[in-house]
Amino acid sequence: MTPPLRTLRHLATGRRAVHRALDAAALQRLQQAITASEQGHDGQIRLCVEAALPWRYLRGRASPRDRALTMFAKLRVWDTERNNGVLVYLLLADRAIEVVADRALHRRIAPADWQTLVEAMRGPLHEGRHEQALQTAVATLDGWLRQHFPADPSPARTRDNELPDPVELG
């Protein structure tokens, strides 16, 4: 059985919570940050923000990590040519942050660095500064991806944007 307080919190957190956390202008700025970032490396960054877990996940006692892994697959972040996609997932009802990286990127970043990224996001999120937290994630990931998967600087380079840049909302 799902703990009653968590169930109530998820049921009470409607889809409007996402739009209160990130208005249209914030979503546009985040999309632009991703697009600009991906010009400098060959990685793919996806952001996903959900108000609450779908009922079947909640009933099944799914963790935010479980849902993040599902969204990683559903959004095809795992399906990039160089296996270097990364998903930043926020679950507002649980105030949870999950970062899921494909194997090529995951191997190059130390576990402590992933934890440092999550901690850097936690303060702004708890203060209601969702855009700032996500911009911090994009900037950090941009640095790592530029270091480990730099863009081909040749003029003949054609950049394939393998994944959409808009923030996925749920």
Side-chain angles (χ1 to χ4, degrees):
M1 202 50 123
T2 303
L5 291 178
R6 183 176 189 227
T7 301
L8 287 173
R9 190 173 59 245
H10 278 262
L11 293 174
T13 307
R15 296 196 73 179
R16 287 189 218 148
V18 173
H19 296 289
R20 283 192 303 271
L22 297 165
D23 63 17
L27 293 170
Q28 183 64 33
R29 287 187 296 269
L30 287 163
Q31 179 178 341
Q32 290 169 345
I34 293 168
T35 301
S37 168
E38 290 178 356
Q39 296 301 312
H41 57 75
D42 287 332
Q44 295 289 302
I45 299 171
R46 286 300 317 259
L47 303 178
C48 179
V49 181
E50 289 191 307
L53 288 174
W55 176 248
R56 66 185 170 100
Y57 284 83
L58 192 57
R59 189 181 66 232
R61 292 187 179 182
S63 69
R65 183 72 176 178
D66 295 333
R67 181 64 175 166
L69 291 169
T70 297
M71 295 307 293
F72 182 81
K74 180 179 177 183
L75 298 173
R76 301 182 62 87
V77 180
W78 58 270
D79 197 23
T80 61
E81 183 177 340
R82 295 186 67 191
N83 298 315
N84 60 2
V86 60
L87 172 72
V88 177
Y89 175 80
L90 301 182
L91 180 59
L92 299 178
D94 283 348
R95 293 183 164 196
I97 307 161
E98 295 291 338
V99 181
V100 183
D102 205 348
R103 58 194 167 273
L105 179 59
H106 183 78
R107 280 193 295 257
R108 288 174 172 83
I109 308 300
D113 291 336
W114 291 112
Q115 189 58 41
T116 298
L117 170 59
V118 170
E119 290 305 317
M121 295 175 65
R122 196 172 308 285
L125 284 173
H126 285 283
E127 295 167 5
R129 295 180 289 131
H130 298 83
E131 180 183 1
Q132 181 183 347
L134 291 168
Q135 290 284 5
T136 296
V138 171
T140 300
L141 294 168
D142 176 68
W144 292 343
L145 288 163
R146 284 175 189 262
Q147 177 185 353
H148 298 290
F149 299 96
D152 179 354
S154 71
R157 174 187 183 250
T158 57
R159 181 188 168 284
D160 290 330
N161 192 12
E162 298 178 77
L163 301 173
D165 294 342
V167 179
E168 181 73 22
L169 303 176

